[in-house]
């Protein structure tokens, strides 16, 4: 299963341990994480479900292209990182 | 008489307490008792005098807007719900009129937070960028968008004033009638409901926008009231610090009369005396393009006669090379009308205990101040 790891800076606000979750796209993987940890959802996604402007998501070291509908593919053994963008200060 | 002040700043929320006994320059009357949410951008703090709860809105740079509440007057906090916009209808093309960029259906900033009517315990009102008004009926455990205003055909015409997006910054709940609520929008005028939010009417007739072509200067829909307040004992009286002037209404916001400020008409904040509709305070800056105090002197202006004349109050305030600006929520008056406080962009906090006649610095080293509230 893909493994999702969150930035350490988010942990001050909401606990987000690494999670092994099913899913073939970024949307499916993050939905699975947030189903188990609903409080974390709004820290990563905005009201419309897009990646927040100052957050970034990497899949196997590559930043995702679709930040709005999260359709980037995720392989079964992928490593997904949810990090803060430097643009957010 | 309020002995406690809540201050929301660019880097945390501070609670100041009034020290009993003798005070001196080294030991000021008002001192920081608590520093919380340190490092976090706090746009708003709001104590609710009805039940002692306190609410804070944070704008976390990476993680978005978040709200917290305290049941014990600010000692401890818990996360609560944040107003969130519904799913934007597919294909809807709404653009901010100036930039022509799509309006985000997303809470970008909490810009107003007000307790509801005395008869509605637990009700809160919340104004946001990009212009949505929200209501909570359960002390912030959940929020609902006031759809009637958000879907009003005039709303997509609202535009940003200073900010990137339009914003709803003032909420006045009529003490005579919980269903009558008046809100201020930058830029979009003054809106009022008389039926608990089912329908809304524009109420900025008489306001003048110097930033528009002459033929549209009195168009209510383009007005930029920076802050709107309502007198609790005479709720037909409203005061507004507008982008280019001070305005007053004595007929429940049906019409507004312009008042020339002193030493200038530009500013963001206004406070009205809780027992005297003719008394109001302002913290002037030079002008739109010079957002600093006139002549480098921080002053408060006060009228006691409904705006016929204004006094400039400076005792205890810095009078040389001071470049403090006071934002719209950074001035407050307590329930007696005697105690006032205002905070500034340079991190100063001044308190008066005699209606503004004289001021003391409670601190001159806070982060930039966004909101000051007695509670």
């Amino acid at each position: 299963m893909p493994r999702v790891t969150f930035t350490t800076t988010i942990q001050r606000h909401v606990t987000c341990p690494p999670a092994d979750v099913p899913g073939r796209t970024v949307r499916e993987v993050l939905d699975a994480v947030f189903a188990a940890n609903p409080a974390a959802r709004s820290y990563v996604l905005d009201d419309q479900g897009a990646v927040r402007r100052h957050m970034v998501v990497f899949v196997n070291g590559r930043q995702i292209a679709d930040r709005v509908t999260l359709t980037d593919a995720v392989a079964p053994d992928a490593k997904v990182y949810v990090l803060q963008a430097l643009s957010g200060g | 008489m309020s002995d406690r002040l809540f201050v929301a700043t660019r880097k945390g929320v501070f609670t100041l307490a009034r020290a009993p006994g003798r005070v001196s320059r080294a030991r000021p009357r008002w001192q920081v008792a608590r520093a919380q949410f340190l490092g976090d951008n706090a746009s708003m703090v709001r104590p609710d005098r009805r039940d002692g709860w306190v609410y804070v809105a944070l704008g976390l740079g990476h993680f978005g807007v978040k709200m917290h509440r305290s049941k014990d007057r600010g000692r401890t906090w818990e996360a609560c719900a944040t107003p969130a916009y519904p799913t934007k209808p597919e294909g809807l093309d709404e653009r901010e009129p100036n930039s022509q960029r799509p309006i985000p259906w997303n809470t970008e900033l909490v810009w107003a937070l007000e307790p509801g009517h005395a008869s509605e315990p637990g009700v809160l009102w919340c104004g946001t960028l990009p212009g949505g008004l929200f209501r909570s009926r359960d002390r912030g455990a959940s929020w609902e968008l006031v759809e009637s205003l958000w879907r009003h055909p005039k709303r997509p015409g609202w535009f940003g004033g200073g900010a990137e997006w339009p914003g709803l910054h003032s909420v006045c709940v009529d003490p005579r009638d919980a269903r009558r609520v008046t809100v201020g929008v930058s830029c979009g005028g003054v809106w009022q409901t008389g039926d608990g939010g089912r329908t809304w009417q524009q109420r900025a007739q008489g306001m003048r926008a110097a930033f528009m072509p002459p033929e549209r200067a009195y168009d209510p829909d383009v007005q930029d009231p920076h802050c709107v307040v309502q007198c609790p004992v005479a709720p037909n009286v409203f005061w507004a610090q507008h982008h280019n002037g001070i305005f007053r209404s004595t007929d429940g916001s049906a019409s507004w009369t312009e008042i020339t400020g002193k030493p200038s008409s530009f500013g963001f904040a206004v406070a009205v005396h809780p027992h005297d509709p003719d008394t109001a305070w302002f913290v002037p800056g030079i002008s739109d393009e010079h957002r600093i105090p006139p002549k480098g002197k921080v002053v408060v202006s006060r009228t006691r006669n409904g705006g016929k004349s204004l006094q400039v109050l400076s005792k205890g305030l810095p009078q040389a090379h001071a470049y403090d600006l006071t934002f719209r929520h950074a001035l407050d008056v307590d329930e007696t009308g005697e105690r006032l406080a205002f905070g500034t962009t340079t991190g100063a906090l001044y308190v008066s205990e005699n209606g503004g006649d004289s001021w003391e610095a409670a601190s001159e080293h806070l982060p930039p101040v966004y909101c000051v509230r007695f509670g």
Side-chain angles (χ1 to χ4, degrees):
Chain A
M1 270 192 281
R3 164 155 281 216
V4 184
T5 306
F6 289 85
T7 171
T8 54
T9 57
I10 204 172
Q11 312 293 339
R12 179 165 74 89
H13 304 288
V14 57
T15 304
C16 294
D20 298 316
V21 289
R24 289 169 300 177
T25 64
V26 173
R27 171 69 71 198
E28 289 178 7
V29 165
L30 290 183
D31 278 350
V33 173
F34 298 140
N37 187 5
R41 181 181 178 88
S42 74
Y43 284 79
V44 178
L45 305 180
D46 68 17
D47 296 356
Q48 301 301 311
V51 176
R52 286 197 172 280
R53 192 189 331 172
H54 299 302
M55 294 294 284
V56 286
V57 178
F58 287 84
V59 177
N60 287 339
R62 183 186 293 266
Q63 207 175 127
I64 63 169
D66 178 7
R67 297 170 53 87
V68 176
T69 53
L70 313 184
T71 54
D72 287 47
V74 176
D77 60 348
K79 291 181 169 43
V80 178
Y81 282 88
V82 178
L83 306 176
Q84 76 273 27
L86 285 180
S87 59
Chain B
M1 198 80 80
S2 292
D3 290 336
R4 190 185 292 112
L5 260 178
F6 293 96
V7 182
T9 78
R10 177 69 181 81
K11 293 177 187 290
V13 177
F14 300 86
T15 307
L16 283 90
R18 188 178 189 274
R22 287 172 64 89
V23 294
S24 65
R25 189 164 179 81
R27 186 175 177 277
R29 174 69 75 189
W30 291 82
Q31 297 177 22
V32 175
R34 287 191 204 109
Q36 297 167 314
F37 302 102
L38 277 176
D40 293 337
N41 187 345
S43 64
M44 183 63 59
V45 60
R46 192 55 161 109
D48 187 341
R49 288 176 188 161
R50 297 172 303 175
D51 56 17
W53 288 41
V54 190
Y55 302 86
V56 158
L58 306 177
L60 302 176
H62 299 101
F63 308 122
V65 173
K66 299 288 176 285
M67 291 187 64
H68 296 258
R69 64 185 182 186
S70 171
K71 301 172 183 173
D72 52 15
R73 298 184 187 275
R75 270 199 296 279
T76 60
W77 297 87
E78 63 179 12
C80 60
T82 301
Y85 284 74
T87 301
K88 185 176 181 178
E90 206 166 326
L92 180 68
D93 187 21
E94 282 181 354
R95 291 169 185 270
E96 196 276 332
N98 292 331
S99 69
Q100 286 298 309
R101 294 176 58 202
I103 297 270
W105 283 41
N106 186 60
T107 299
E108 301 284 326
L109 177 78
V110 166
W111 218 13
L113 200 50
E114 292 295 332
H117 192 268
S119 67
E120 298 180 325
V123 168
L124 304 171
W125 295 89
C126 179
T128 66
L129 261 69
L133 175 67
F134 292 81
R135 175 167 41 192
S136 172
R137 301 179 192 274
D138 51 14
R139 295 181 170 85
S142 64
W143 294 92
E144 62 192 30
L145 177 66
V146 178
E147 298 267 359
S148 53
L149 187 56
W150 182 246
R151 298 192 190 274
H152 193 286
K154 288 284 184 72
R155 193 273 306 165
W158 296 353
F159 54 94
E164 203 174 357
W165 311 112
L168 196 154
H169 49 67
S170 299
V171 180
C172 305
V173 180
D174 194 316
R176 300 165 298 192
D177 181 358
R179 294 167 301 175
R180 188 167 297 281
V181 178
T182 308
V183 301
V185 179
S186 288
C187 298
V190 177
W191 291 79
Q192 188 177 79
T193 177
D195 54 18
R198 276 196 291 280
T199 60
W200 294 85
Q201 293 80 41
Q202 173 63 269
R203 304 283 280 189
Q205 286 80 6
M207 287 188 174
R208 177 181 66 88
F211 48 87
M212 293 298 283
E215 62 271 24
R216 292 197 61 193
Y218 289 93
D219 179 349
D221 293 328
V222 303
Q223 299 302 320
D224 184 11
H226 286 173
C227 185
V228 181
V229 293
Q230 183 176 23
C231 182
V233 299
N236 277 345
V237 175
F238 286 84
W239 289 88
Q241 173 65 65
H242 180 283
H243 191 79
N244 50 260
I246 293 167
F247 292 84
R248 178 175 183 252
S249 173
T250 58
D251 54 11
S253 79
S255 66
W256 296 83
T257 303
E258 186 165 2
I259 289 162
T260 301
K262 189 177 175 182
S264 70
S265 293
F266 181 80
F268 290 96
V270 53
V272 60
H273 195 292
H275 309 303
D276 176 9
D278 287 341
T279 296
W281 296 264
F282 309 86
V283 190
I286 295 177
S287 65
D288 176 0
E289 62 276 26
H290 288 107
R291 298 181 178 202
I292 50 176
K295 300 179 179 173
K297 301 177 179 186
V298 175
V299 299
V300 171
S301 61
R302 177 182 64 197
T303 177
R304 282 178 155 161
N305 53 17
K308 290 188 189 72
S309 63
L310 286 112
Q311 295 169 270
V312 176
L313 310 169
S314 61
K315 191 176 176 187
L317 299 174
Q319 296 301 294
H321 286 293
Y323 301 105
D324 303 59
L325 187 69
T326 294
F327 285 144
R328 69 197 74 210
H329 298 305
L331 166 69
D332 197 26
V333 59
D334 84 342
E335 69 272 23
T336 68
E338 289 300 306
R339 291 186 180 169
L340 290 114
F342 70 97
T344 78
T345 51
T346 21
L349 180 70
Y350 300 104
V351 184
S352 171
E353 299 194 350
N354 51 20
D357 288 339
S358 63
W359 300 83
E360 280 183 21
S363 175
E364 290 175 307
H365 305 285
L366 293 172
V369 174
Y370 293 143
C371 180
V372 172
R373 291 288 180 263
F374 285 101

